[in-house]
Amino acid sequence: PPRYAEILIKKACMAFTVMLLAGVVSLGAGTAAHAVQVNDFQGPYEIPNWTTNAPSGGSVVPNGAVPVDEIVITEPDVLSTELSFTISAAGPGTFSFDWVVTSVFDGGQINFFASSDPTPTATIDIGPSSISVSGPASGSCGPTSCSGSFSASVDHLDTIGWVVANTQSEGPVQWTISNFSAPVPVPPALLLFVSALVTLFGVGRVRRQRAADTA
């Protein structure tokens, strides 16, 4: 009956609204229960928000306009030393990027981090004439460079980023990171806006059903 259908629609709208509001509350409590992906180094992932640890030299240089769309990480000059460039994930989701390395015949190593575990999630080792890939990463070499990609799921506050190591005594190796993507929380205001739209949609549908029933 029309009256029964009207009651069901109202209850469904109310239930969905409650679920959305619950998401807003959890976000306000800092649980980052809802997240979306952001591309390039922007928002919480702007370059100044990252932590660089380079006790033996090396550098991290942004490329492109704001928002920065790629970075170039140069390994330290000192053999058997490391440079790290890391940040905490702003929400749960996927951490992914593409990578390219030049000066491949010099040898070098890069570690990818995407968890709360202090051990690397994936490692790329470049030797004078070889490449070794471990973990959820891909890589292949051409005559003058090696390249690949990486993608892994992360939780809120997991450490993400890169650590490069000087494993050969030749010139410094440069790693270019592009197509960066990482999760960010959904703003609570957006969830409230969606909740309001759902409620208005439900009310409008009920009114249209009433008009059709009385016509």
Side-chain angles (χ1 to χ4, degrees):
R3 179 60 180 171
Y4 182 68
E6 177 181 326
I7 293 174
L8 286 179
I9 292 172
K10 283 184 176 180
K11 287 185 176 181
C13 291
M14 290 178 64
F16 196 73
T17 301
V18 169
M19 286 189 294
L20 287 173
L21 290 175
V24 172
V25 172
S26 64
L27 280 171
T31 60
H34 301 81
V36 295
Q37 294 294 122
V38 63
N39 298 320
D40 300 330
F41 295 88
Q42 58 180 319
Y45 302 106
E46 290 182 358
I47 298 301
N49 296 332
W50 292 70
T51 298
T52 304
N53 185 21
S56 300
S59 64
V60 179
V61 178
N63 270 349
V66 177
V68 173
D69 56 7
E70 70 176 31
I71 57 174
V72 177
I73 307 175
T74 303
E75 72 178 17
D77 297 328
V78 181
L79 184 63
S80 301
T81 59
E82 296 180 339
L83 175 153
S84 65
F85 189 66
T86 58
I87 197 171
S88 294
T94 302
F95 170 44
S96 63
F97 57 88
D98 294 331
W99 63 270
V100 175
V101 60
T102 57
S103 303
V104 295
F105 298 110
D106 293 336
Q109 181 186 85
I110 188 168
N111 296 308
F112 306 149
F113 286 84
S115 72
S116 58
D117 194 323
T119 60
T121 306
T123 298
I124 307 293
D125 277 300
I126 303 293
S129 59
S130 65
I131 177 175
S132 174
V133 181
S134 70
S138 66
S140 60
C141 289
T144 59
S145 67
C146 299
S147 62
S149 61
F150 173 86
S151 180
S153 297
V154 294
D155 292 325
H156 183 221
L157 300 181
D158 276 358
T159 296
I160 62 175
W162 307 270
V163 175
V164 299
N166 186 333
T167 60
Q168 300 287 333
S169 58
E170 289 86 355
V173 174
Q174 291 187 326
W175 305 80
T176 299
I177 306 298
S178 61
N179 294 323
F180 169 85
S181 180
V184 295
V186 177
L190 179 59
L191 288 179
L192 284 173
F193 177 69
V194 172
S195 175
L197 286 181
V198 171
T199 303
L200 289 174
F201 173 79
V203 171
R205 187 169 181 176
V206 169
R207 287 178 176 174
R208 287 192 299 270
Q209 184 64 47
R210 283 180 177 175
D213 293 340
T214 54

